Amino acid sequence: MDLTFLAKALAIGLGSFGPAFAIGIIGAKAMEAIGRNPESAQKILVPMLLAAAFAEAIAIYALIIAFSISA
């Protein structure tokens, strides 16, 4: 029985769950901060985008790991 497909599915599934959860928290906290202090929207936007980009990089890393798994 070949478990390669199962390993790839687990790598991308678990590897994308964490970043998706993190991006959701980042967005929610940023919107909460902007809602409390609307004048700080410009100061919050750039760090929020950077944090989301770093979380997205982890998902891309998981995708690369999933592609590199071979039989």
Side-chain angles (χ1 to χ4, degrees):
M1 182 173 177
D2 188 21
L3 296 177
T4 304
F5 290 119
L6 180 63
K8 289 180 178 183
L10 285 174
I12 193 62
L14 295 175
S16 62
F17 177 74
F21 189 69
I23 290 172
I25 290 174
I26 290 167
K29 292 297 182 180
M31 294 303 111
E32 182 180 327
I34 291 172
R36 290 182 183 201
N37 191 4
E39 293 85 21
S40 66
Q42 294 296 325
K43 292 180 181 177
I44 293 172
L45 182 65
V46 173
M48 180 196 76
L49 290 176
L50 283 173
F54 287 132
E56 187 70 26
I58 294 171
I60 293 170
Y61 181 70
L63 180 66
I64 291 171
I65 294 297
F67 281 144
S68 68
I69 295 173
S70 61

